[in-house]
Structure formats: C-alpha cells, structure tokens
C-alpha cells in the first residue's frame, strides 16, 4: 500500500505532503502531540497519508500506523480532525501493537 521512491525517502513528511497536494491528492497529516513513558516516536513526528492510503513518515515506529492510517482516511473523506490516543492501558493499543509501555496522543487533520 505504501509508495516510496528514492526521492521521497530523503524528504521530510511535510515536504512530501506539499508535493502530494501539488499533484492534486487529498492529504491528511498525523502528528504526535503528546507522549508518556516509553513512546516509540517523539513529539512532532509526522505521518502523511493520501486518499489512496499511500503514506510516508511514522508516528509510532510501525506499531499503530495501520490504525492511524484508517482514521486519516476517514478524516480525508469527512474533513473533521481527530485526536487519537494509544497506550498500553488501552485495550485498543494492545490490538494494534503498542506494547512498549508508553502512551501517545496523535492529532490527525486534513490539509488543504
């Protein structure tokens, strides 16, 4: 599902989002806004997602990316931003694989 070419591998996710929008793609961005304990990625980490489900970047080192991408697809289609929270105490976090002992809060919004 992810597309990644050699040019995009060297670019910041925000630059990729800008490029995708210039191509006419609908794009959402997910940003880590808070972490507690042993979080897989620091505050400010980004994941960009387009309407086809292509993505670049990371908000969790892979452990909750699938769930964030699914939520981002809804944000793209509906337009309303969402705040997502994943943590070891949350049963959903175990289901999506966040077993690192920490918690993360991710804000997902549509760009453009």
């Amino acid at each position: 599902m992810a597309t990644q070419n050699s040019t995009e591998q060297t670019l910041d996710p925000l630059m990729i989002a800008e490029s995708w929008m210039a191509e006419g793609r609908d794009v959402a961005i997910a940003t880590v806004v808070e972490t507690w304990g042993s979080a897989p990625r620091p505050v400010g980490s980004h994941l960009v997602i387009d309407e086809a489900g292509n993505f670049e970047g990371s908000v969790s080192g892979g452990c909750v990316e699938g769930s964030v991408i699914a939520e981002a697809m809804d944000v793209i289609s509906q337009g309303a931003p969402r705040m997502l929270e994943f943590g070891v105490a949350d049963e959903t976090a175990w289901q999506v694989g966040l077993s690192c002992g920490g918690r993360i809060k991710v804000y997902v919004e549509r760009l453009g």
Side-chain angles (χ1 to χ4, degrees), residues 56-98:
E56 293 288 339
S58 177
V59 292
S60 70
C63 56
V64 298
E65 246 77 45
S67 181
V68 173
I69 291 164
E71 293 285 341
M73 301 286 284
D74 287 343
V75 167
I76 289 169
S77 66
Q78 298 173 8
R82 295 185 186 167
M83 185 69 73
L84 310 175
E85 194 168 337
F86 301 96
V88 74
D90 178 0
E91 188 173 312
T92 303
W94 283 101
Q95 291 170 0
V96 297
L98 187 64

Side-chain angles (χ1 to χ4, degrees), residues 27-44:
V27 176
I29 188 162
T31 306
V32 176
V33 294
E34 289 184 44
T35 64
W36 299 267
S38 177
R41 300 282 295 152
V43 169

Side-chain angles (χ1 to χ4, degrees), residues 12-18 20-21 25-33 44-51 54-59 65 68-69 71-77 79-84 105-112:
D12 179 274
L14 298 176
M15 298 297 293
I16 292 167
E18 184 177 27
W20 286 359
M21 289 172 60
R25 300 189 205 185
D26 291 327
V27 176
I29 188 162
T31 306
V32 176
V33 294
S45 296
H46 297 299
L47 175 69
V48 295
I49 306 95
D50 74 4
E51 76 279 0
N54 297 302
F55 63 93
E56 293 288 339
S58 177
V59 292
E65 246 77 45
V68 173
I69 291 164
E71 293 285 341
M73 301 286 284
D74 287 343
V75 167
I76 289 169
S77 66
R82 295 185 186 167
M83 185 69 73
L84 310 175
K105 193 177 278 190
V106 179
Y107 183 70
V108 182
E109 62 187 317
R110 182 179 171 141
L111 298 178

